[in-house]
Structures are given as structure tokens and as C-alpha cells.
Amino acid sequence: MYDLVCALTCSPEEARELAGKMIGNKLITKQTGAGGRLCNAVMIAEARTPKHEYYVALLNDRVSQLPVLIASNQGGMSIEDVAKENPDALETTPIDFTRGLDFETAKEVAHKLGFSGSEQEKEAADTFVKLYQLFSERDATQVEINPLAESEDGAVLCWTPSSASTRTPTSARRKCLKCAT
């Protein structure tokens, strides 16, 4: 069993070696439970330093039976703990299923979260809209990014995307949120 989820490496060779140790072994995290899940793919990305971390998710609201965008400027931690300790830190935006999430609504949410400037708000809003497209196209029950981060150089980046879908296997759920491909 291999329980390493995230590792920083200094070379492509080291990344290849770590990925080789993970693929084909059980990944055990808080989300998988003690039984773990078989690791069949590893995502490799450039290491960046986050200036601030956010949380964003789309899910089906059981009460309204509509999709909702849930966002917080307290990302990178358990959103359940954030909701319990500071429920006002969660921004909940219902989405009309027939219209979807429009850019202006997404930009309003980004502004409320406190991104550092208008360009970062636009990047975040674009990510929210594309996240909704992914949620809708894949018939997902939940899609989240935790954390979504603004880097030291002002880029808005999806650090850790994950989803729950009713019809798509895990390996096919990954989609680039910057270009929607």
C-alpha cells in the first residue's frame, strides 16, 4: 500500500519514480477510508506557491432540487469543518438549471470571495462557469476544487479537482477547466 498523495519532486525522473510507486497500489486517504482505492493514474503539475486558497463546488441541492455553487475564501482545508465553525464563510448560489451558470453571476461570486484584482476575478469566474459545464455535461452529483488558489504571480489555478458522477468512471472525469477540454 502506498499512502502518499502529494509529493514535490525536483526532476522528471523523480516524478516518474514516485508515480511508478503509486500506480497499481492502493491509495488511502480520508475520502477513501481504510480500504483505499486502486491508483490507476497520477496527475503531475508544476509546483506553484499559493498566495491564497479558496474552495469551490457544484452540487445538487436536495431541498431545492437545483444545482448550487458553493464557494469559500477558506479553501485548502476540510469544508465540513469550515461550515461547522464559520457557516458565514460559505457563499451559496442557486443555479437555474435551464439557464446554467452565467459569467456575471460567477464574477459576482468571485468578487465576494476577495480575489486580488479584476483579472483574477475574471479568471475565477471563467473557472466557475467551466466547472458548471463539466458538472452538467458529466451528469455529476458533485464537482469540487479544494483548493482553488491564486498564486504569488496572480494566476488562478485549480490545485485539486475531483468529482462524483453518476455515469463516468474516475479516469474519464478529469478535464482541463482552463480550456474545457
Side-chain angles (χ1 to χ4, degrees), residues 14-110:
E14 190 177 7
R16 189 176 302 109
E17 179 185 338
L18 284 171
K21 289 178 181 178
M22 294 172 73
I23 294 172
N25 289 295
K26 282 194 175 181
L27 176 67
I28 300 171
T29 68
K30 186 176 181 179
Q31 289 82 14
T32 67
R37 289 188 68 178
L38 186 65
C39 177
N40 59 12
V42 175
M43 182 182 286
I44 298 174
E46 173 187 3
R48 304 282 290 268
T49 303
K51 178 168 71 174
H52 191 87
E53 296 180 349
Y54 304 86
Y55 172 87
V56 62
L58 279 143
L59 53 96
N60 289 316
D61 180 55
R62 292 179 188 149
V63 176
S64 68
Q65 297 294 304
L66 290 172
V68 292
L69 174 67
I70 298 177
S72 175
N73 63 5
Q74 296 182 26
M77 57 188 80
S78 166
I79 199 62
E80 292 83 4
D81 292 344
V82 172
K84 183 178 175 183
E85 295 167 16
N86 185 8
D88 293 338
L90 297 179
E91 186 68 39
T92 302
T93 307
I95 300 168
D96 181 329
F97 195 73
T98 58
R99 289 189 4 228
L101 179 62
D102 63 87
F103 185 80
E104 287 308 312
T105 301
K107 193 163 186 273
E108 287 172 20
V109 172

